[in-house]
Amino acid sequence: MSKRFYFDHNATTPVRPEVVEAMLPWYTERFGNASSIHSYGREAHDALEESRAKIAALIGAEPDEVVFTGCGTESDNIALAGVLTSAGKDKNGLVTTSIEHSAVLNTGRVLAERGYPAAFVGVDSRGVVDLDALRGAVGPGTALVSVMHANNETGVIQPIREAARLAHENGALFHTDAVQTGGKVPINVREMGIDLLSLSAHKLNAPKGFGVLYVRKGVEIVPLTYGGHHEFSIRPGTENVAGAVGFAAALELAVRDMDTETRTLSALRDRLEAAILERVPDVMVNGGDADRLPGTSNISFPGVDGEALLLSLDREGIALSTGSACTIGEVEPSHVLLAMGVSPRTATSSLRFSMGWGTTEEGVDHILAVLPPIVERLRSISGGIAGVCPGTMAESS
Ligand code: PLP
């Protein structure tokens, strides 16, 4: 197979070899159930608690505030539904933003259908949450404010300290979905005024299927599932010891390397953006004026169908994504770009380049070599091929 370059680190990441190595014994010779009383159980229990303590220290929390879950989506669900259902009848509202990941957006929508009022606050043209609108939406009936730490599509970092302050001034709790910032941006839950925080292992070079929910001591949560007393009865079920060990190892490595990675990825992103802006006419960087994650770049190529561009780049060995969702042959523009005021047509011409551990200059060079002629070719095809989804190419070409 010819060389491939991965530019989709916000979707998922490779597991670092050090993480695999740390996890392996917990699948093989040290496979015990952390609840068992014998030596196998005791060593599994110790590994679980050591991992919990490590993770807690890395985010400024206490060990008994760290709950292990099955993924970032589950952490978001437990945070939102758990807080709202434990709230009283007069204070059971949710205020969140229109650019959240579906793990928060759809949970908020379902809760609204079940009678918990939800408000979705907009963002400005840079993709930053509108704090005045947030202030207007939060009131005495608000139980929880949830604002993501950084957006997965644009990488734009949100003013969560201010949002947390606003929540607390109104007697509400504050949750942040930090799935895209864990290990990339410094996090200290105490200093930042965070009551609940979601993380996901597969976004920080650990395996898929493991998440963390930080729950500040004293915050009441009604569990979504029932069983034994695992994970403080918030998330019952036999614990994923290897997952916890892997998460702790990956977070430790990411925090250790954060400064160097930030410098490397920012430089790669800036070079990629500057060269694309120079070589491809009429493109725009979405969220380019805001504070962003170091390795994320969202670029619109008006006149080009984003899916067609993605597939052409894939044929050249470049893997990335669009923010658009394809449903039964139709492309739905990204809700994040729409919320920023980008037109639906321009939104469907957008690509997300996301870099991370292992991204090289060689990959950026390859994109810069193949992208401009592809955009030119696609733009020259009269009327473009807007609205094409993978799998439906044959019908329209
Ligand atoms: N929140 C954000 C911001 C994300 O980017 C993602 C994954 O794309 C999730 C939540 C869901 O995490 P998981 O894939 O672990 O369920």
Side-chain angles (χ1 to χ4, degrees):
M1 187 185 280
S2 57
K3 211 155 185 185
R4 294 191 299 172
F5 297 95
Y6 187 75
F7 279 78
D8 207 8
H9 285 259
N10 288 15
T12 197
T13 58
V15 182
R16 286 176 73 148
E18 305 96 309
V19 174
V20 176
E21 199 184 320
M23 294 175 72
L24 274 178
W26 304 100
Y27 286 120
T28 51
E29 71 269 25
R30 308 178 116 194
F31 55 85
N33 182 324
S35 299
S36 299
I37 289 166
H38 48 63
S39 66
Y40 289 84
R42 289 199 306 275
E43 66 187 11
H45 178 266
D46 289 351
L48 195 71
E49 295 315 316
E50 276 166 29
S51 304
R52 198 188 308 280
K54 238 189 230 177
I55 294 163
L58 291 166
I59 61 168
E62 295 296 322
D64 58 357
E65 296 175 317
V66 171
V67 180
F68 295 140
T69 70
C71 57
T73 301
E74 189 184 2
S75 299
D76 286 342
N77 271 262
I78 298 174
L80 266 62
V83 167
L84 293 194
T85 50
S86 82
K89 235 175 91 214
D90 300 328
K91 196 171 179 59
N92 64 0
L94 168 72
V95 176
T96 184
T97 81
S98 51
I99 58 158
E100 298 294 317
H101 187 269
S102 50
V104 167
L105 276 185
N106 287 338
T107 307
R109 286 179 189 137
V110 168
L111 287 164
E113 281 165 20
R114 294 182 185 167
Y116 300 93
F120 300 88
V121 168
V123 293
D124 64 19
S125 59
R126 298 170 308 150
V128 180
V129 66
D130 181 342
L131 284 173
D132 287 333
L134 193 72
R135 197 168 290 113
V138 179
T142 308
L144 183 69
V145 174
S146 180
V147 176
M148 70 198 316
H149 195 186
N151 183 263
N152 44 303
E153 291 184 32
T154 60
V156 171
I157 296 174
Q158 303 299 324
I160 60 165
R161 285 172 195 264
E162 292 82 346
R165 205 173 306 129
L166 238 158
H168 295 154
E169 280 165 9
N170 287 275
L173 294 171
F174 181 73
H175 165 253
T176 189
D177 176 337
V179 165
Q180 290 294 345
T181 51
K184 295 182 200 161
V185 174
I187 292 175
N188 185 307
V189 286
R190 288 264 183 278
E191 277 177 17
M192 295 164 90
I194 296 164
D195 300 304
L196 302 115
L197 172 134
S198 306
L199 293 168
S200 173
H202 75 103
K203 309 287 187 181
L204 48 87
N205 305 108
K208 293 156 191 66
F210 192 84
V212 160
L213 177 64
Y214 158 75
V215 183
R216 183 178 55 72
K217 230 172 270 177
V219 170
E220 295 276 325
I221 290 266
V222 171
L224 303 189
T225 51
Y226 295 88
H229 295 295
H230 319 86
E231 298 305 306
F232 317 102
S233 298
I234 290 176
R235 206 278 189 175
T238 301
E239 299 92 341
N240 179 352
V241 178
V245 169
F247 189 106
L251 187 61
E252 200 167 42
L253 288 167
V255 170
R256 185 196 71 187
D257 298 344
M258 196 183 286
D259 289 348
T260 6
E261 279 292 293
T262 300
R263 270 196 302 277
T264 309
L265 296 177
S266 304
L268 286 173
R269 183 203 55 200
D270 292 349
R271 186 161 90 77
L272 178 80
E273 286 181 355
I276 290 178
L277 286 166
E278 190 190 302
R279 297 178 200 181
V280 186
D282 304 320
V283 297
M284 59 193 205
V285 178
N286 299 303
D289 295 333
D291 188 14
R292 280 182 297 164
L293 288 173
T296 304
S297 181
N298 189 304
I299 304 183
S300 295
F301 299 87
V304 172
D305 176 65
E307 301 285 342
L309 184 52
L310 180 149
L311 293 172
S312 299
L313 289 169
D314 187 38
R315 278 195 286 273
E316 299 292 339
I318 299 160
L320 39 64
S321 71
T322 66
S324 317
C326 259
T327 43
I328 352 171
E330 274 192 41
V331 178
E332 272 188 39
S334 144
H335 69 284
V336 176
L337 298 184
L338 292 185
M340 291 164 68
V342 176
S343 74
R345 233 190 137 77
T346 302
T348 51
S349 78
S350 309
L351 290 185
R352 176 186 71 186
F353 304 80
S354 57
M355 314 178 202
W357 176 79
T359 305
T360 57
E361 294 277 357
E362 190 190 0
V364 171
D365 289 340
H366 186 55
I367 293 180
L368 294 175
V370 301
L371 176 80
I374 292 176
V375 173
E376 197 180 328
R377 179 172 56 80
L378 291 176
R379 278 181 173 164
S380 74
I381 298 171
S382 69
I385 46 172
V388 178
C389 275
T392 61
M393 286 290 280
E395 289 160 29
S396 36
S397 56

